[in-house]
Amino acid sequence: MTTRKLETADAFVVTDLPDEVPAAGIVRSAPKVLVDGASWLARSQTYQFAAFGRRAGGASAAVNARPEDRDDAVTAFMAELAPELAAGALLLEPAKGLSAEQADAMRAVDPRPALWWDHRHDLRGAGVAAAVATAVAPDGATVAVEGFDEAGPALVEALAARGAVVVAVSTPTGTLVREGGVAADELAEAWRAHGPAFVGELGGTTAPGDVLAVAADVLVPGSKVGVVDHDVAAQLQVRAVVPGGALPVTAKALAALRRADVTVLPDFVTTAGALFAWPVDGPEPTLDGARDAGAEAITAALAAVADHPAGPLLGACELAERFLVTWTDTVPFGRPLA
């Protein structure tokens, strides 16, 4: 794991494997982003590539800047990294704290296909929905979504397409619970109109954490790293935890949930749907082709570790590590757990 501090901005880039290995991951911006958290996000991305046979490493970058200073800071960040970005040695996906204009600037120098940029949220949601279907019989299964964000409408639509019923969602502003389920189109319209504040507009509570106490078949957590810790694990009323974001479950929570016979799936597998819009070789797929390929590959990867004696998450870690040792001498130390 290497952390490089930039010279022209208060920013850094973490890469998980040696410099000659292509690296990809997210870039965030806030007044202060911690290197430790970024390092674990890079590790999760490394394991995602390895789980699906990709010879690439994880990356995670951050621009430390207040909102009023962010435009200049991100511009300097992009300029300093321009040679690596243009060469495809470093691929960065805009995440929290970056504007639409800044995202467009990253897209302009990124070699990944338009399908990935235009539909990565849709494909990620389709992959998570496929993972939910492996954890429980999807027809009529109830799902609580923690951390509903810009990718939330696509996720809920994909879950509904598989027959699941979304009974609760949370955003940073609160939690909406409906025992009979909330329709995908209603959530999508509310998100477009109000953003995260839609929860209050639809009659929800003002406590985001309320979603973690909802009785459902599946919890899809994704708001932040470690959101499901051992205290949260003790209050969950679900049969399975299917991550919708990176590293939502801590090591202590995983142990507690295993004792409670709650299935915890690996985040680096469940969130991999967008990889399939970005082929290693061959022609660019269609949207339907990428969606089907992602669902098939995620389902197969989860099936391969479903009966692992240590559970599917640690089983998937072993699966990824077996691939890593076939092509790099630098196998990361420390598995992707918060």
Side-chain angles (χ1 to χ4, degrees), residues 149-312:
D149 58 14
E150 62 180 334
L155 169 61
V156 174
E157 182 178 357
L159 288 167
R162 287 181 175 268
V165 179
V166 175
V167 295
V169 297
S170 73
T171 72
T173 71
T175 297
L176 174 67
V177 180
R178 286 190 187 169
E179 292 185 4
V182 56
D185 56 354
E186 181 183 5
L187 283 173
E189 182 178 348
W191 176 264
R192 286 193 298 269
H194 305 289
F198 81 84
V199 167
E201 297 292 331
L202 297 183
T205 72
T206 58
D210 286 351
V211 72
L212 298 168
V214 171
D217 293 311
V218 180
L219 172 69
V220 177
S223 66
K224 62 181 180 180
V225 171
V227 65
V228 179
D229 60 17
H230 61 285
D231 290 328
V232 168
Q235 66 174 306
L236 292 185
Q237 302 181 68
V238 297
R239 295 161 50 198
V241 176
V242 179
L247 299 165
V249 179
T250 68
K252 286 185 177 180
L254 176 63
L257 292 168
R258 278 188 49 98
R259 290 192 295 269
D261 200 28
V262 175
T263 299
V264 180
L265 297 187
D267 65 281
F268 54 90
V269 173
T270 63
T271 63
L275 275 185
F276 300 89
W278 169 22
V280 175
D281 51 33
E284 182 179 332
T286 64
L287 176 57
D288 287 343
R291 184 184 293 113
D292 292 346
E296 181 179 347
I298 288 168
T299 299
L302 294 174
V305 298
D307 297 323
H308 191 280

Side-chain angles (χ1 to χ4, degrees), residues 30-249:
K32 184 63 177 177
V33 179
L34 299 179
V35 173
D36 187 58
S39 299
W40 284 113
L41 290 172
R43 179 62 43 80
S44 178
Q45 185 64 68
T46 294
Y47 272 66
Q48 181 172 105
F49 286 136
F52 294 96
R54 298 286 183 101
R55 294 190 176 194
S60 184
V63 179
N64 296 315
R66 295 172 298 183
E68 62 269 26
D69 302 323
R70 200 160 290 163
D71 283 343
D72 290 341
V74 173
T75 297
F77 169 87
M78 292 285 293
E80 187 167 341
L81 294 175
E84 294 157 75
L85 296 171
L90 180 63
L91 305 175
L92 294 177
E93 176 182 357
K96 291 182 179 179
L98 274 78
S99 68
E101 291 77 13
Q102 291 157 353
D104 288 342
M106 289 185 180
R107 177 174 181 167
V109 297
D110 191 283
R112 284 172 289 193
L115 181 67
W116 184 87
W117 279 97
D118 292 338
H119 295 286
R120 64 192 191 278
H121 296 319
D122 303 339
L123 293 168
R124 186 186 187 108
V128 173
V132 168
T134 72
V136 297
D139 194 19
T142 54
V143 180
V145 177
E146 188 276 335
F148 189 101
D149 58 14
E150 62 180 334
L155 169 61
V156 174
E157 182 178 357
L159 288 167
R162 287 181 175 268
V165 179
V166 175
V167 295
V169 297
S170 73
T171 72
T173 71
T175 297
L176 174 67
V177 180
R178 286 190 187 169
E179 292 185 4
V182 56
D185 56 354
E186 181 183 5
L187 283 173
E189 182 178 348
W191 176 264
R192 286 193 298 269
H194 305 289
F198 81 84
V199 167
E201 297 292 331
L202 297 183
T205 72
T206 58
D210 286 351
V211 72
L212 298 168
V214 171
D217 293 311
V218 180
L219 172 69
V220 177
S223 66
K224 62 181 180 180
V225 171
V227 65
V228 179
D229 60 17
H230 61 285
D231 290 328
V232 168
Q235 66 174 306
L236 292 185
Q237 302 181 68
V238 297
R239 295 161 50 198
V241 176
V242 179
L247 299 165
V249 179

